Amino acid sequence: MSNKLIIFDTTLRDGEQSPGASMTLDEKVRIAKALERMRVDVIEAGFPIASPGDFDAVKAVAEAIKDSTVCGLARALDKDIERAGEALRNANSGRIHTFIATSPIHMKMKLRMEPDQVVEQAVRAVKKARQYTDNVEFSPEDAGRSELDFLCRVLEAVIDAGAGTVNIPDTVGYNVPDQFGSLIHSLRERVPNSDKAVFSVHCHNDLGLATANSLSAVLNGARQVECTINGLGERAGNAALEEVVMTVKTRKDIFPCTVSHIDTTQIMNCSRLVSGITGFAVQPNKAIVGANAFAHESGIHQDGVLKSRETYEIMRAEDIGLTTNRMVLGKHSGRNAFRTRLGELGVEFKSEAELNDAFARFKELADKKHEIFDEDLQALVTETNLEMENERVQLVALRVCSETGEKPEATVTVGFDGAELESVSQGGGPVDAAFKAIEKVINSGTNLQLYSVNNITSGTDSQGEVTVRLEKGGRIVNGQGSDTDIVIASAKAYVNALNKVLASKQRAHPQTGDV
Ligand code: KIV
Ligand code: ZN
């Protein structure tokens, strides 16, 4: 058995299934390139049949990525597989990942199919996918609640049909580490042709066990882990890539396999990129990438770390690409220094006009904020990208009056479908007043589900990064905005979310929706 652990990232597919985490084509390509720089083995780019936009995004990722394998998801249906094959046509290395549910509850209630029919459809799907590529993965959805004998039967049949990877999903996050490890062990023992395929796992985090279950599977012979940056994913998310990779790297003494091909110094960059684009902030105490993960607050710890870092540190901050906040650029930095530093962060500009736009924003920011850090640059580029083509709403001007004993009042000028409109509103606070004034003009009828502010770096001159989540008719979007003035950052985030609501189109969910 190979001692390489294959890292399969599904941030762009399962990650995007988190309500509100949808990404544009350009954002997906940016994240894919960052994953490729990390030398992730497989990038699952999406579910091509979900919508024309999803198809285009998988195709664009397949065309932009040269070193990693690009994968497209397809239900075990001819039309899904044809669409995935088409989207991956220009990939240097493409994989089709096809799946069908195998648990009694899913077969009976969701598929309304008999077990024999499920086996037949699974085999047919793998054979069909093999017409497009030699690299086919099969998943028995809800394997974590499937019957062992039936699972063995399905896996033997799909391996015979040509699946080179068989992925065991704990779709609903129900399993616990010992039991899930034993499941992988039993499958490898009992499936007669198990040596002909790589065993993979895909764990959800409903009980907070996704990483532990994945690693237990690795100890029992799994050689591919499906994971996402920051643990993003459906409901409570998937196993976090950074946790899986850093555990295997740190505990070489325990794991019989290696992740030495992964460039872990790209972890922080990817984490910030994904949280900036999706608006899903990383909790401060999140393992590996949380703001406190390498902060030593207590005097005893600080003293120990200063004497010898190993007293309290099991990993080096540099290994995940965490450099101490250093001022990277300032007011006098020129275009070249700006372009070079962003290049080092993996940001390429598509045109001179895009570079000029970002550079103008940088100069504006440098006027307000003396020291510009990597985090500021990343937020600035995210914001440049956030401005969507043909956006219908623009924030033209905002004035807010906030005074002790008085109700805050906001006056906004908003561009809407080409017209400039002004409105005034009072609110419980300055942000509330600003949102109400904007809503008076747009009349979106959306519900605000979440409002959160984070400071990008430290200090009161830091930029505030705001996320606004809006819901309308069951569709959820996240908007982001950043500025040194948090009321303006909030208004930008609200306008960004409104543009997404106005542009959002129907798309299917691979596991629960119809296409
Ligand atoms: O959780 C799951 O079962 C999935 C499959 C499509 C692999 O995401
Ligand atoms: Zn999943």
Side-chain angles (χ1 to χ4, degrees):
M1 192 197 305
S2 160
N3 76 341
K4 174 182 170 184
L5 183 64
I6 298 169
I7 300 298
F8 176 115
D9 181 278
T10 182
T11 307
L12 301 180
R13 198 277 296 170
D14 215 317
E16 209 204 15
Q17 284 173 220
S18 304
S22 60
M23 306 163 208
T24 64
L25 183 148
D26 281 350
E27 289 167 345
K28 287 188 179 178
V29 171
R30 243 178 101 201
I31 293 175
K33 285 190 173 166
L35 292 168
E36 184 182 41
R37 256 193 319 279
M38 201 200 286
R39 299 201 284 273
V40 156
D41 302 279
V42 187
I43 299 171
E44 188 164 51
F47 177 47
I49 200 154
S51 71
D54 287 67
F55 175 87
D56 291 343
V58 175
K59 185 166 181 290
V61 170
E63 285 166 2
I65 297 301
K66 298 289 163 248
D67 299 332
S68 309
T69 294
V70 178
C71 176
L73 184 70
R75 291 166 303 179
L77 297 173
D78 284 0
K79 59 177 179 175
D80 283 36
I81 295 165
E82 283 158 15
R83 208 67 181 131
E86 181 61 27
L88 296 169
R89 192 209 291 258
N90 299 329
N92 234 3
S93 162
R95 172 183 293 188
I96 297 179
H97 176 190
T98 185
F99 73 99
I100 188 164
T102 52
S103 63
I105 183 167
H106 274 230
M107 289 191 290
K108 186 161 179 238
M109 308 305 290
K110 181 175 98 166
L111 300 175
R112 298 184 197 287
M113 281 169 76
E114 292 302 320
D116 285 352
Q117 293 174 297
V118 168
V119 179
E120 198 184 303
Q121 193 164 320
V123 167
R124 184 189 149 88
V126 169
K127 287 189 176 155
K128 171 94 183 167
R130 283 294 302 253
Q131 292 171 5
Y132 293 90
T133 169
D134 290 345
N135 194 341
V136 173
E137 171 171 330
F138 173 80
S139 291
E141 189 193 7
D142 204 17
R145 292 188 300 169
S146 300
E147 283 164 2
L148 183 59
D149 286 346
F150 183 59
L151 215 42
C152 289
R153 183 175 155 211
V154 174
L155 293 182
E156 182 182 357
V158 295
I159 295 171
D160 261 351
T165 303
V166 286
N167 177 47
I168 311 302
D170 180 16
T171 302
V172 291
Y174 179 68
N175 286 234
V176 296
D178 264 5
Q179 171 235 329
F180 194 63
S182 303
L183 171 66
I184 302 302
H185 183 84
S186 307
L187 290 172
R188 292 189 50 246
E189 292 271 289
R190 292 182 45 175
V191 173
N193 50 2
S194 66
D195 59 321
K196 306 270 183 320
V198 172
F199 274 69
S200 166
V201 287
H202 175 111
C203 297
H204 279 272
N205 206 28
D206 300 66
L207 293 172
L209 295 171
T211 300
N213 285 339
S214 305
L215 293 171
S216 173
V218 171
L219 291 173
N220 284 282
R223 284 296 174 269
Q224 173 177 289
V225 173
E226 301 198 353
C227 43
T228 56
I229 300 291
N230 300 338
L232 198 69
E234 187 88 50
R235 303 181 312 280
N238 290 68
L241 179 147
E242 62 277 9
E243 294 173 14
V244 171
V245 166
M246 290 311 288
T247 305
V248 175
K249 180 179 165 102
T250 306
R251 297 308 306 269
K252 291 190 185 72
D253 54 330
I254 301 277
F255 288 93
C257 53
T258 165
V259 287
S260 58
H261 57 293
I262 300 290
D263 180 359
T264 60
T265 65
Q266 297 297 323
I267 285 179
M268 237 15 251
N269 187 32
C270 282
S271 167
R272 286 190 193 124
L273 188 61
V274 169
S275 68
I277 285 175
T278 58
F280 278 55
V282 174
Q283 75 194 60
N285 55 333
K286 162 84 181 64
I288 320 291
V289 291
N292 292 353
F294 288 89
H296 292 272
E297 181 69 28
S298 93
I300 300 172
H301 286 202
Q302 280 177 359
D303 183 49
V305 171
L306 286 176
K307 285 180 180 143
S308 162
R309 61 193 304 170
E310 287 81 22
T311 43
Y312 286 98
E313 275 189 8
I314 57 165
M315 297 169 275
R316 294 182 318 162
E318 306 87 276
D319 287 349
I320 61 153
L322 198 64
T323 44
T324 35
N325 271 356
R326 65 198 162 91
M327 188 182 104
V328 289
L329 295 173
K331 201 178 157 110
H332 302 294
S333 308
R335 253 163 58 104
N336 261 343
F338 176 73
R339 191 207 303 252
T340 307
R341 185 61 202 148
L342 280 167
E344 284 161 6
L345 292 173
V347 177
E348 294 154 19
F349 292 100
K350 279 194 287 203
S351 62
E352 279 301 295
E354 204 179 270
L355 167 66
N356 291 343
D357 183 24
F359 187 63
R361 285 167 194 261
F362 160 72
K363 283 287 177 186
E364 240 174 68
L365 179 63
D367 266 342
K368 294 190 246 169
K369 188 176 187 286
H370 214 70
E371 301 174 305
I372 308 281
F373 301 107
D374 284 345
E375 291 89 330
D376 292 310
L377 292 178
Q378 274 157 328
L380 188 136
V381 174
T382 298
E383 193 168 273
T384 310
N385 282 308
L386 283 176
E387 281 183 8
M388 305 182 304
E389 268 173 41
N390 310 322
E391 56 184 16
R392 294 178 59 188
V393 189
Q394 292 101 27
L395 180 70
V396 179
L398 171 65
R399 187 161 52 81
V400 180
C401 191
S402 198
E403 200 180 333
T404 28
E406 297 294 328
K407 268 203 146 199
E409 187 175 277
T411 309
V412 288
T413 310
V414 174
F416 186 33
D417 284 343
E420 272 196 13
L421 305 159
E422 193 181 282
S423 92
V424 182
S425 186
Q426 293 190 327
V431 172
D432 188 43
F435 284 15
K436 283 185 170 138
I438 296 170
E439 182 58 17
K440 255 192 191 173
V441 177
I442 309 298
N443 247 315
S444 70
T446 50
N447 303 310
L448 180 72
Q449 287 203 331
L450 173 122
Y451 167 76
S452 80
V453 192
N454 266 313
N455 55 341
I456 293 181
T457 52
S458 52
T460 48
D461 72 341
S462 158
Q463 292 194 83
E465 190 173 42
V466 175
T467 300
V468 165
R469 183 176 301 163
L470 297 180
E471 183 272 341
K472 186 172 182 185
R475 280 195 225 166
I476 296 174
V477 299
N478 279 324
Q480 293 89 49
S482 51
D483 201 284
T484 48
D485 179 323
I486 58 163
V487 183
I488 294 177
S490 305
K492 285 182 180 173
Y494 190 57
V495 164
N496 178 240
L498 287 174
N499 276 311
K500 288 186 178 173
V501 169
L502 296 174
S504 90
K505 295 198 183 74
Q506 196 72 44
R507 57 204 287 255
H509 184 289
Q511 289 153 282
T512 56
D514 289 330
V515 182

